[in-house]
Amino acid sequence: MLTKLHTNKGSQLVLGLATGFVFGFLLEKGGVARYDVIIGQLLLYDFTVLKIMLSAAATGMLGVYLLRGLGLAQLHPKPGSWGASAVGGLIFGLGFATLGYCPGTISAAVGQGWLDALVGGLAGIILGAGIFAALYPRLKPGILSKGEFKNRTYPELFKVNPWAVVIPAVAIIAAFLYWLESRGL
Amino acid sequence: MDWLTMGRWSPYAVGIGIGILSWLTFVLSDKPIGCSAAFARTSGMIERLFRGNKVLQKAYYREFPPRVDWEWMLVVGIILGSFTSAKLSGQFKLDWVPSLWAASFGPQPVTRVVVALLGGVLLGFGARWAGGCTSGHGISGTLQLAVSSWLAAICFFIGGIAAAFFIFRVLG
């Protein structure tokens, strides 16, 4: 692994900026810097968001697990619990539909010129994150640790070779996307 | 170079591009793509301007110090990358109210901005509660086959679909 590069702070800031530039370019080209496209997904008539997310996940999965097998990458799966991931996920969902952007796509929306995203949404996200930081000491020992996941990834949970999960997962994603297209969605 | 000035690309081209980009971030930066922690750090930076260094003692900011890091620069990069793409295709336009919102709730910027602010508060709060967003859990976590991320991502959509149907089919 490129440990020297990973610990070089200046290079990492430049790499972060460059990665974001490509990511933002792709999000804008994909149409997901637009409120109308994101709400169209949540109202289940425009599946652009899921098509992008699932094809990114399938592509990413194949490459990242291969790179890991070659010793060129390591995984960083987030810890989680029912209390954190499910409850937090549902709160996030309410915000997702009310705002019509998520933290990545709102940044792309700002780049496209959306002032509701810049003036309303960005300020709201920063405020919401700050409120969470203030409540964190009370939430952490309580609901956030309810039903903690001991195994962080499915291959660990099922105690199988990672490829026994990667290959079926990619196949299911491909089949789902094929089904969406065949329905004209 | 027509593809650079196109307004839209196939969602699959975009998704595969993001997948390949994530290979690069794992190799070059040892990090998955994510966005929402940068907003928590920004919140800490702003609070520090008003309340000084005691902000650094807060439990959350000891875990996520309020400073510019790789992910913070990534968010800045998203704005610049999207701006560049939108300028190339001629889609850049300053605007307050998306058309779908205007069709149900009217063209007044103030209503839209107030609702966006409220939605943003819920989104920022929920993202930090869940420990990630549509990028960190929805793409980077699912591609690592993380248990927490698949659950969070499914809940993002359950909550989002329910709320969108309420907003546009009941209220709108």
Side-chain angles (χ1 to χ4, degrees), chain A residues 94-160:
Chain A
L94 299 182
F96 195 16
T98 311
L99 174 57
Y101 306 108
C102 57
T105 53
I106 196 168
S107 312
V110 169
Q112 213 185 45
W114 290 99
L115 297 167
D116 59 328
L118 179 66
V119 178
L122 272 191
I125 298 175
I126 292 168
L127 188 61
I131 296 171
F132 180 79
L135 296 177
Y136 182 67
R138 264 179 283 175
L139 294 170
K140 196 190 177 190
I143 187 157
L144 294 179
S145 24
K146 285 271 180 315
E148 226 158 328
F149 304 130
K150 290 190 185 71
N151 296 294
R152 289 201 186 178
T153 66
Y154 286 106
E156 288 171 89
L157 181 68
F158 302 143
K159 295 184 177 51
V160 292

Side-chain angles (χ1 to χ4, degrees), chain A:
Chain A
M1 286 201 297
L2 306 170
T3 319
K4 262 199 184 147
L5 179 63
H6 299 161
T7 50
N8 184 323
K9 276 188 188 158
S11 309
Q12 287 307 324
L13 294 181
V14 174
L15 279 170
L17 186 70
T19 303
F21 187 91
V22 177
F23 190 37
F25 196 95
L26 288 167
L27 291 173
E28 204 279 338
K29 286 282 180 254
V32 288
R34 293 190 179 278
Y35 174 94
D36 293 3
V37 172
I38 292 174
I39 295 297
Q41 173 66 73
L42 296 176
L43 292 175
L44 303 174
Y45 62 77
D46 177 344
F47 279 78
T48 306
V49 174
L50 268 185
K51 287 177 189 176
I52 291 176
M53 287 179 71
L54 290 172
S55 50
T59 309
M61 208 178 275
L62 289 168
V64 168
Y65 272 93
L66 187 67
L67 290 163
R68 179 180 180 244
L70 296 170
L72 291 168
Q74 57 186 347
L75 298 183
H76 296 284
K78 292 176 191 272
S81 65
W82 283 96
S85 314
V87 178
L90 291 172
I91 299 170
F92 181 95
L94 299 182
F96 195 16
T98 311
L99 174 57
Y101 306 108
C102 57
T105 53
I106 196 168
S107 312
V110 169
Q112 213 185 45
W114 290 99
L115 297 167
D116 59 328
L118 179 66
V119 178
L122 272 191
I125 298 175
I126 292 168
L127 188 61
I131 296 171
F132 180 79
L135 296 177
Y136 182 67
R138 264 179 283 175
L139 294 170
K140 196 190 177 190
I143 187 157
L144 294 179
S145 24
K146 285 271 180 315
E148 226 158 328
F149 304 130
K150 290 190 185 71
N151 296 294
R152 289 201 186 178
T153 66
Y154 286 106
E156 288 171 89
L157 181 68
F158 302 143
K159 295 184 177 51
V160 292
N161 183 295
W163 292 98
V165 185
V166 171
I167 291 167
V170 171
I172 292 168
I173 289 171
F176 177 70
L177 294 173
Y178 181 82
W179 176 79
L180 276 182
E181 293 296 335
S182 71
R183 299 270 315 253
L185 286 167

Side-chain angles (χ1 to χ4, degrees), chain B residues 51-117:
Chain B
R51 299 186 51 233
N53 283 340
K54 65 180 172 186
V55 171
L56 303 176
Q57 301 307 313
K58 285 177 124 178
Y60 199 70
Y61 296 128
R62 275 191 299 228
E63 284 183 39
F64 295 91
R67 62 168 178 245
V68 171
D69 68 340
W70 181 87
E71 186 175 315
W72 203 90
M73 293 303 287
L74 185 137
V75 172
V76 175
I78 295 176
I79 299 175
L80 298 175
S82 171
F83 175 75
T84 307
S85 169
K87 272 288 179 191
L88 284 172
S89 63
Q91 303 219 0
F92 179 85
K93 185 168 155 263
L94 290 175
D95 211 340
W96 287 97
V97 186
S99 53
L100 198 60
W101 171 270
S104 289
F105 301 102
Q108 302 82 3
V110 65
T111 355
R112 170 59 194 147
V113 170
V114 169
V115 172
L117 182 80

Side-chain angles (χ1 to χ4, degrees), chain B residues 88-164:
Chain B
L88 284 172
S89 63
Q91 303 219 0
F92 179 85
K93 185 168 155 263
L94 290 175
D95 211 340
W96 287 97
V97 186
S99 53
L100 198 60
W101 171 270
S104 289
F105 301 102
Q108 302 82 3
V110 65
T111 355
R112 170 59 194 147
V113 170
V114 169
V115 172
L117 182 80
L118 289 174
V121 170
L122 281 170
L123 190 81
F125 187 79
R128 295 329 300 156
W129 184 306
C133 64
T134 344
S135 314
H137 274 315
I139 295 176
S140 301
T142 56
L143 77 84
Q144 295 181 76
L145 300 169
V147 176
S148 60
S149 297
W150 277 95
L151 176 63
I154 289 166
C155 290
F156 294 164
F157 282 94
I158 293 175
I161 290 165

